[in-house]
Amino acid sequence: MTPAARLQAVIDLLTEIDETPRPADAVMSAYFRNRRYIGSKDRTAVAQMAYAILRRHARLGWWIERGGYERATPRARVLAYMLLEESRNAGVVLEMFSGGKFAPARLTDDELAMVRELESHTMDHPDMPETVRVECPDWAEAAMRASLGDRFAVEMEKLLEAAPLDLRINPLKANQQSAIKALAKAQITAETTRWSPLGLRVKGRPPLGSVDAFKDGLVEIQDEGSQLVALAVAPKPGHQVVDFCAGAGGKTLAVAALMKNKGRVVACDVLEKRLKRAAERFRRAGLHNIEAHPLTSERDPWVKRHKRKFDRVLVDAPCSGTGTWRRNPDARWRQLGPGLEQLLPLQANILDSAARLVKPGGRLVYATCSMLHDENEAQVEAFLQTHHDFVVKPIAEVWAEEEAGATPTEGPYLRLTPARHDTDGFFAAVLERRVDESVSEDSVPEVGLEQGEVDPVELGKAIDA
């Protein structure tokens, strides 16, 4: 592809992302799958530019408005990006937007005026509001400021970067050093992660699908923060474990591998298709202690039938996903599932229902990929007020039991942020059910029963998002 043709492909791709109610990565995959004539180098270049523009959505929009253009269309954002970030001059832009074969159409008079207005500027400007500079959407500003305090700016700036590529070793097949050597045979450089004893961080963005270490199940793609959440579950060989919102099965895999293929892991989800897709990952990893169980809702009768049967229950709750904005920059601006006002009661209902599965002395692990207090600490505090038979197990105690090295965070919970830990933003609370039967969950009301169950379709959307 010519440079001009690549630009047109970026415009087309951004248009599809704007018009398609699916995450940007899924839209990109479909876009390139339907255009197999686009070579690998061109795909990489187009995707990188599209992601770079998505990461600068608010700033580009601010400049486009300042430049007098009416709307931040995909064409306008590409033009502004070329001028402000790539420092192209108006002459180069006019040459690229030539209207020739496969090239973008010629500039309109309004576009040309905007180009001339923005030509001498860079992306930063002293008049730019802080929320624009750090790409914080209006809906999340108050909650993010309340949660992050004086670290608001530094954490938000870190969220503007692209996420690193992390792998988790499969302890049934490899250790960190043997996995590093196996990856090196495919000219992939990796090093051990700072916090996770199972993690590797890969240099660059190599295609892993054709690498033997990946195909043979020695490694799986998983952010280091997500690995730490799985470690917080602290499963033991022979345990009975439930991953209540298993989704694509990433944490299910990690938990099952920590159990050394012994015991039983039940992967639950309201989206049966996702569980079926996860099954292939389970087979590749050589794990035989996992069974999938689709749920009709978080109040599925299966939960009541298995009351107090499990040693560990992981609730990786559907959430706002604010901790994943490095890898999902479009999620800041497009609501593809329930909003925060719907997610909060949904999380409480799921946590309340899943708690029924925990046996006395067992543990309930509540986790999100959110950085918002309302979805994290506040949910745990509200749960404990109505479930007196559960107590917080401090994360430092869990880490000491697991001999997992230095505890990543202070305080009773696992709270990971991009700037402090260079992981996605994650939260996890370990809640242990008392063995003392004099304190029973039957003495307190279950959350949300009077209002009725949460619509399983909405639950599915939330988890899928």
Side-chain angles (χ1 to χ4, degrees), residues 308-311 358-362 432-437:
R308 297 191 173 209
K309 299 291 187 184
F310 291 90
D311 300 280
V358 183
K359 66 167 54 174
E432 191 165 84
R433 172 163 256 152
R434 300 176 193 267
V435 178
D436 183 1
E437 292 294 335

Side-chain angles (χ1 to χ4, degrees), residues 90 141 180 242 249 259 263 283 300 310 326 369 416 457:
E141 181 187 357
I180 288 173
V242 173
M259 294 166 62
R283 285 192 292 271
D300 191 289
F310 291 90
R326 294 192 304 176
C369 54
L416 306 171
V457 175

Side-chain angles (χ1 to χ4, degrees), residues 291-335:
E291 62 184 70
H293 187 87
L295 301 175
T296 57
S297 78
E298 83 280 11
R299 298 284 174 188
D300 191 289
W302 180 88
V303 179
K304 186 175 182 179
R305 291 198 302 269
H306 291 80
K307 186 176 180 180
R308 297 191 173 209
K309 299 291 187 184
F310 291 90
D311 300 280
R312 301 286 188 268
V313 177
L314 170 61
V315 174
D316 186 12
C319 66
S320 62
T322 51
T324 67
W325 282 351
R326 294 192 304 176
R327 63 185 74 251
N328 301 309
D330 60 308
R332 302 169 189 247
W333 312 108
R334 301 194 302 149
Q335 185 173 310

Side-chain angles (χ1 to χ4, degrees), residues 11-237:
I11 294 169
D12 292 341
L13 177 53
L14 289 173
T15 300
E16 288 202 17
I17 291 172
D18 284 356
E19 295 176 352
T20 307
R22 298 181 66 199
D25 58 348
V27 177
M28 285 192 188
S29 295
Y31 178 87
F32 291 121
R33 188 166 55 249
N34 294 331
R35 295 165 178 81
R36 297 191 182 277
Y37 56 84
I38 300 179
S40 60
K41 291 184 178 179
D42 292 318
R43 287 198 301 271
T44 299
V46 170
Q48 286 179 342
M49 187 173 186
Y51 266 119
I53 290 171
L54 290 173
R55 295 185 194 284
R56 294 160 177 80
H57 177 88
R59 287 168 287 173
L60 291 173
W62 185 85
W63 274 111
I64 289 167
E65 182 179 352
R66 186 182 179 92
Y69 198 67
E70 291 184 0
R71 294 187 304 114
T73 62
R75 269 177 65 94
R77 280 143 57 199
V78 168
L79 286 167
Y81 178 82
M82 293 175 67
L83 296 159
L84 300 167
E85 188 66 24
E86 296 184 338
S87 301
R88 305 293 186 96
N89 60 44
V92 171
V93 171
L94 285 168
E95 183 180 340
M96 300 283 272
F97 283 72
S98 64
K101 188 176 182 181
F102 305 124
R106 292 181 181 277
L107 301 184
T108 65
D109 291 343
D110 288 344
E111 289 173 335
L112 184 57
M114 182 187 73
V115 167
R116 288 171 175 163
E117 173 63 28
L118 301 185
E119 182 181 15
S120 59
H121 293 284
T122 60
M123 191 68 70
D124 296 323
H125 192 281
D127 293 341
M128 186 177 284
E130 182 182 47
T131 52
V132 173
R133 180 174 60 81
V134 299
E135 300 279 332
C136 185
D138 291 342
W139 68 265
E141 181 187 357
M144 289 292 268
R145 287 189 183 278
S147 300
L148 299 174
D150 59 5
R151 294 187 59 80
F152 172 78
V154 68
E155 292 292 353
M156 291 299 299
E157 286 171 354
K158 189 67 175 179
L159 280 168
L160 297 177
E161 300 178 6
L165 176 58
D166 292 342
L167 306 178
R168 178 187 54 76
I169 64 161
N170 180 354
L172 298 178
K173 296 187 175 185
N175 57 40
Q176 286 175 308
Q177 295 306 317
S178 64
I180 288 173
K181 291 179 181 178
L183 291 167
K185 292 180 181 179
Q187 285 74 54
I188 295 174
T189 301
E191 59 184 18
T192 58
T193 47
R194 178 183 179 187
W195 302 106
S196 172
L198 301 175
L200 301 176
R201 181 153 292 180
V202 173
K203 183 178 181 181
R205 313 294 295 189
L208 290 169
S210 59
V211 175
D212 287 342
F214 180 77
K215 291 192 296 183
D216 295 341
L218 274 67
V219 294
E220 278 282 342
I221 299 173
Q222 188 176 28
D223 180 79
E224 185 182 11
S226 181
Q227 297 178 36
L228 296 179
V229 171
L231 284 169
V233 177
K236 302 293 189 290

